[in-house]
Each structure stands twice: as C-alpha cells, then as structure tokens.
Amino acid sequence: PPASAGPAMTAGEDAAPRFATVVARARSAGGLVLFAYVLTHLTNHALGLISLDAMEAGRAWFVALWRNPVGTSLLYGGLAVHFLAVATILQQRRSWRLPAWQWTQILLGVSLPFLLVEHVIGTRYMHQVHGFDDRYAYVVHVLWNLAPEKGVQQTVALLAVWVHGCVGLHFWWRLRATYRRLLPILFAGAILLPALALLGFAQAGREVAALLAGARRR
C-alpha cells in the first residue's frame, strides 16, 4: 500500500549509514591488528643492530604472540575482515574521483599480496604445514646471501605495508586533538622504525655471512 512505502524507505535509508559505519569500524579494527603485527615484526628486525642472537630472542616473543591459536586467529581474522571491508567500501562507491592518498592506499593494498605471498609461503606456511624451522639465521641467509633480489622484494613489501598502515592511521586519527599534538613524535617514529629494521636486517646479513665464511675456513 502507498501508505507503507514511506516508512519502508525511511528504514532502508536509516540502515545504510549504520551499515557503512559497521563496515568502516570493521576495516579499522582489522587494520589495527595488521598494524600491530607489522609493528612487532619491524621491532624484531631492528634487534639485528644488537646481534643475530638478539633477533632470535625477539623472535621467540614474536612467535609466542602471533603463532598461538589466539594470535593466529586474530591475524588471519583481521586480514580477512580488513580485506572484505575495503572491498565492500570500494564496491559501493559511486565515483572513482578520489584524493591522491586514497589512490595510494588502494594501489599499495592491491600490490601487497603479490609482494608478500612468497615470503609467507617460505616462512609461516612451511613452518605450520611441514614443521620447517624458519629462524632468522636461515631467512637472513637466503635473503641476504643466496637470493638478494628476494631481499629487495621483501624490502619493498615491508615499506609498502608500513606506508599503507601509517597513511590509514593518519587519516583515521587526524581530527583528534591528542593525535595532532603527538604527530611530530609519531611521524619521526614512523620514519625511524622501518629504517632501524632495515639496518638491523642488513647487520644480521653481514653477521651470517661472516659466520659462514669462518665456518668454511675451518
């Protein structure tokens, strides 16, 4: 009946913003989980500036945090939720006239699976399915000595993930007064941490190469 069309349309219009809010919050929640994973991973890499042993000690905590059933569920769940939420938001867009930062986010997000899939298969997948010991000494040896081109690829992936996360957090929090006050410190940290992580990995690579050279001379 015509009399019921108005309320039904109003209910649908009211549901749309609520759904959009839920999707946006799901994207943010999933993104936070992924950002926490990358943050701890980069911190672990930075320990290479101390020594390879320090990296392995940090890895023990990293593995305990992310490879237990709860951590694994959070990581994979966060990845799935983030991907589905972003796909939903993009599917519902009526225009593709986007600011540069959103195009940056989209392009980085699309490139990440291609950049990371080989590394994920060689570490987590091999460990969980085949019981492979993917400790840092082996991974560093492969990426630094045996296949340095793969090391370059992982460096690009690392920077892409980090930039993607930092840009997303910035445009999520940019209107909050506390964030604006802390922005200079956070910006410095956003540059410093990946730099330390890359330097730590390079230092670990040189340490592994020296250990192998010493072993061959014996």
Side-chain angles (χ1 to χ4, degrees), residues 76-176:
Y76 290 159
L79 179 62
V81 166
H82 189 68
F83 177 81
L84 291 174
V86 171
T88 300
I89 291 171
L90 293 178
Q91 187 272 332
Q92 292 182 338
R93 291 200 65 87
R94 297 180 180 178
S95 171
W96 287 96
R97 293 181 179 178
L98 303 174
W101 74 268
Q102 287 189 340
W103 276 115
T104 300
Q105 287 295 82
I106 292 171
L107 294 175
L108 287 175
V110 169
S111 68
L112 291 179
F114 301 98
L115 292 171
L116 293 173
V117 62
E118 187 174 0
H119 183 64
V120 172
I121 291 174
T123 54
R124 179 177 279 260
Y125 172 81
M126 292 296 291
H127 171 77
Q128 291 185 335
V129 176
H130 301 288
F132 181 75
D133 185 7
D134 58 331
R135 65 182 60 195
Y136 265 113
Y138 169 77
V139 175
V140 170
H141 176 53
V142 170
L143 297 181
W144 186 261
N145 298 306
L146 299 182
E149 72 281 1
K150 300 298 182 183
V152 173
Q153 178 182 324
Q154 292 310 306
T155 298
V156 173
L158 174 102
L159 295 176
V161 171
W162 185 247
V163 171
H164 182 80
C166 289
V167 171
L169 288 177
H170 172 72
F171 282 95
W172 181 22
W173 290 341
R174 68 188 186 281
L175 299 180
R176 301 183 181 186

